Amino acid sequence: YILSMAFSFFGMRFIEESISDPIENTSGAMCSLMCVLFLGDKLDALVWVAIGIIAVGVVGIGFLENSGDLKRRQRLGKKLAIIAFCMPFLYAFIDAFGCVLDIYFLEMETSPLLAIGATEDTIEVIANTSYELTFALVGLVMFIFMKVKGIKFGSMVEQKDKALAAVCETAGQLTYVYAMASGHGNIAAPIISGVCVVSLVLSRIFLKEKLSKKHYFFIGIIIVGILMLAVLEGE
């Protein structure tokens, strides 16, 4: 998950959030496909339809990117533009693979790697604690690295926007795990998947991102597929 977030943050520097976030949220569809490939799961026909809808949207966005509608290649150069566009896909792939590992190690009753003493009542607490402590450790390592290298990053006041983002990310992870463990996943899943809709709106308001009508059309297709998949998986 740390690697996937690294790819995501790198891509954010060069690609519009309105595009990257819907693509990153296709990890749910990738996870479903990986479960079929690696865990032998069976998918309903409507789930395949939802995955197909997402694929159409992604292909459409990819076509528009290659057509140069956003002129990213002229701004960043061909190589960096391609790398930037690949970042949200790498995030989605790694995130999906991580979810498959979660399913295998945490839901398989015969798994030899279940946390010692973990039960259905405590597994979300253990998962959350492990997640947050891992990122805290990475943060500490990066802090030491920056100190050793003499990199100046300013005071907490100067970095208040990043501090607020970190708090929101942590709170989001906390509420996500408990929402999905509440027994009402059929309600929580579509709401959580709707984050790409919220991101699209906020990006337009605060980041002043303005895409072409074609971009919004294919992004809308992706969002429809994501919400459809979330509802079907939550049933």
Side-chain angles (χ1 to χ4, degrees):
Y1 288 112
I2 293 174
L3 183 59
S4 66
M5 293 300 292
F7 284 129
S8 177
F9 290 147
F10 178 83
M12 286 179 187
R13 299 167 57 193
F14 308 107
I15 191 171
E16 291 79 0
E17 182 67 11
S18 304
I19 293 177
S20 66
D21 198 63
I23 292 176
E24 289 176 356
N25 275 274
T26 63
S27 61
M30 292 187 185
C31 181
S32 296
L33 292 175
M34 288 182 184
C35 286
V36 172
L37 293 174
F38 302 123
L39 302 182
D41 285 4
K42 302 293 184 182
L43 300 181
D44 294 336
L46 286 177
V47 173
W48 284 110
V49 171
I51 292 175
I53 291 173
I54 293 172
V56 169
V58 170
V59 170
I61 289 293
F63 174 79
L64 293 177
E65 286 294 306
N66 287 328
S67 69
D69 277 12
L70 294 181
K71 298 182 179 180
R72 187 175 293 110
R73 291 190 179 187
Q74 292 89 333
R75 179 162 45 89
L76 302 176
K78 182 178 180 180
K79 182 177 179 180
L80 183 56
I82 294 175
I83 293 174
F85 187 62
C86 288
M87 291 299 104
F89 288 100
L90 288 172
Y91 169 92
F93 179 82
I94 296 173
D95 184 67
F97 187 69
C99 288
V100 172
L101 292 178
D102 284 343
I103 293 171
Y104 180 76
F105 289 121
L106 298 180
E107 293 188 7
M108 296 294 182
E109 295 180 359
T110 58
S111 173
L113 296 180
L114 285 174
I116 297 175
T119 66
E120 291 184 359
D121 296 326
T122 62
I123 191 62
E124 62 267 19
V125 177
I126 295 172
N128 241 325
T129 302
S130 299
Y131 184 93
E132 306 302 349
L133 287 178
T134 300
F135 271 89
L137 179 60
V138 172
L140 178 61
V141 171
M142 294 303 298
F143 177 78
I144 296 174
F145 174 81
M146 293 173 71
K147 280 292 187 181
V148 171
K149 291 292 186 178
I151 300 175
K152 297 181 180 180
F153 45 86
S155 65
M156 183 62 73
V157 175
E158 295 174 316
Q159 300 292 336
K160 59 180 181 296
D161 55 337
K162 297 181 179 65
L164 178 60
V167 171
C168 291
E169 176 69 27
T170 302
Q173 176 64 24
L174 178 69
T175 54
Y176 168 81
V177 171
Y178 279 96
M180 295 306 293
S182 66
H184 299 287
N186 58 330
I187 298 175
I191 296 176
I192 294 171
S193 295
V195 66
C196 52
V197 180
V198 178
S199 178
L200 184 67
V201 174
L202 295 180
S203 297
R204 182 68 182 92
I205 296 174
F206 295 105
L207 302 180
K208 309 302 180 182
E209 293 182 357
K210 187 175 181 181
L211 307 178
S212 69
K213 292 181 180 179
K214 294 179 182 178
H215 279 90
Y216 284 122
F217 173 75
F218 285 112
I219 288 172
I221 290 178
I222 294 174
I223 291 174
V224 168
I226 290 172
L227 294 177
M228 182 179 175
L229 185 62
V231 171
L232 291 170
E233 290 186 338
E235 291 179 349

